[in-house]
Amino acid sequence: MAESRPVALDAMGGDHAPHEIVAGAVHAVRQRGVQVVLVGPPRILYEALAEHDATREIPIVRAEEALAMDEGALASLRRPRSSIAIACLLVRRGDAGAVVSAGSTAGIVATGRLRLKGQQGVLRPAIAVALPTTPSPTILLDAGANAEVKPEMLVQFAHLGSAYAETAFGITKPRVGLLTIGAEAEKGDKVVKRAHELLSGSPALNFVGNVEGHDLLTGMADVITTDGFTGNVALKTMEGAVRYAFDQLRQTIDESRVAKLGALMQRSRIRRLYTRLDSEAHGGAVLLGLNGTVVIAHGSSRAQGISAACELARDLSASGIVARIGERISSTPRTHRIW
């Protein structure tokens, strides 16, 4: 495992920045043993750290600009000294091992591509999310970086996801599925059909065939590859369904004294289930394919979610996820030129 370097945390990204971000940094340092560097306006961050009596525990790197949550990819060019841009610069210079931000996803992706550059041979970086399947998570990608793709990109996403599954979860020969509208090989549009052919003919991938939306949480595959539009819709649909299910459970429990007693007796199991399904507990998504580790926390993340994201970033960086992806891509022949 590589030497652990601090995580550069974008203190100004997220719906609850900077106070929840700073609180998450303090929790990560004190409870998880993660080295963190906060990036943002020094005066504001110093005052926030003082509330936790942590001014001597966490260093600050100056960045006076920030990307707003409603700003898109072009903001990365308009704000070259933003907190996320400076965080990426720290990684590029070797002063940090990874970047964490809860800011605008489009802004993070664009800034990461601009400042860290794509790894050699990587066609497009992809956002990977670990779905809470058992006994090990299922990696879904792309979850929002590339709305339009070509078949070869879907194959490469499978390689990125496989490297993630191997490195983060110790899965040997991860099973790869292709998300589409039917299990049969001929189901899907032209892009998906061609991707199925390429995946089936790739000896470096353990391709198990097509998967459908209802298979996402069944553990049928360790890695599921799809375009960013479909992946993002699928992910947010699942998140909404989980929230709805727990809201309904809460209402049902509140309606009856017997139900309340039953919930009280099972509260530890209910809590474990909620934690397993809570997106904040897993640290967020990972932007794979860049020359550096980038973790995208949920925009609404509170302190616990930011803390988990910092731990995930630290662990991925230290385990050599970038090098593992490089090895996979370099050993895989390119069949054409993109764009």
Side-chain angles (χ1 to χ4, degrees), residues 161-293:
S162 294
Y164 184 19
E166 292 166 350
T167 303
F169 304 108
I171 301 173
T172 304
K173 296 188 65 176
R175 298 162 298 156
V176 174
L178 174 64
L179 183 60
T180 185
I181 58 174
E184 299 82 4
E186 66 274 9
K187 289 296 182 72
D189 58 17
K190 292 181 180 180
V191 172
V192 171
K193 290 178 183 178
R194 175 57 178 158
H196 189 284
E197 294 177 5
L198 295 174
L199 288 164
S200 298
S202 176
L205 292 168
N206 182 17
F207 183 54
V208 296
N210 290 345
V211 297
E212 299 179 70
H214 55 67
D215 298 320
L216 291 175
L217 296 177
T218 63
M220 180 180 293
D222 301 304
V223 175
I224 297 177
T225 180
T226 186
D227 64 90
F229 181 88
T230 303
N232 191 266
V233 170
L235 178 64
K236 290 181 177 177
T237 299
M238 284 188 294
E239 290 177 348
V242 168
R243 285 195 298 270
Y244 176 77
F246 274 98
D247 285 344
Q248 291 298 302
L249 176 61
R250 190 176 298 109
Q251 290 181 25
T252 300
I253 291 172
D254 289 341
E255 290 172 355
S256 165
R257 293 178 62 184
V258 174
K260 288 181 181 178
L261 178 60
L264 183 63
M265 296 175 65
Q266 297 294 327
R267 65 183 182 276
S268 61
R269 292 186 179 182
I270 293 175
R271 189 180 298 114
R272 284 199 300 270
L273 176 62
Y274 182 82
T275 300
R276 185 164 69 84
L277 297 177
D278 182 11
S279 59
E280 283 208 20
H282 303 285
V286 184
L287 183 58
L288 301 175
L290 298 178
N291 289 305
T293 303

Side-chain angles (χ1 to χ4, degrees), residues 21-171:
I21 309 301
V22 171
V26 174
H27 185 276
V29 169
R30 292 176 175 173
Q31 305 301 321
R32 301 177 188 262
V34 181
Q35 299 178 62
V36 176
V37 175
L38 285 170
V39 183
R43 182 182 62 81
I44 294 175
L45 297 185
Y46 185 88
E47 291 175 354
L49 284 171
E51 295 177 4
H52 300 274
D53 194 25
T55 55
R56 296 186 178 183
E57 294 178 62
I58 303 176
I60 298 170
V61 173
R62 178 184 296 274
E64 297 295 348
E65 293 185 311
L67 300 187
M69 292 300 288
D70 58 353
E71 289 189 287
L74 291 178
S76 63
L77 296 174
R78 293 195 300 265
R79 304 184 189 280
R81 302 294 295 175
S82 67
S83 51
I84 181 61
I86 299 302
C88 289
L89 178 62
L90 293 176
V91 171
R92 191 174 72 190
R93 293 193 319 208
D95 295 329
V99 174
V100 170
S101 178
S104 159
T105 298
I108 296 169
V109 172
T111 303
R113 293 182 64 183
L114 181 66
R115 303 297 173 184
L116 294 173
K117 309 298 183 183
Q119 290 183 249
Q120 184 174 0
V122 172
L123 303 173
R124 293 285 182 87
I127 297 174
V129 177
L131 304 180
T133 54
T134 55
S136 58
T138 295
I139 309 303
L140 172 69
L141 74 170
D142 179 20
N146 306 279
E148 297 182 2
V149 301
K150 293 196 173 183
E152 291 78 5
M153 293 168 64
L154 291 175
V155 175
Q156 195 168 86
F157 293 167
H159 282 287
L160 298 180
S162 294
Y164 184 19
E166 292 166 350
T167 303
F169 304 108
I171 301 173

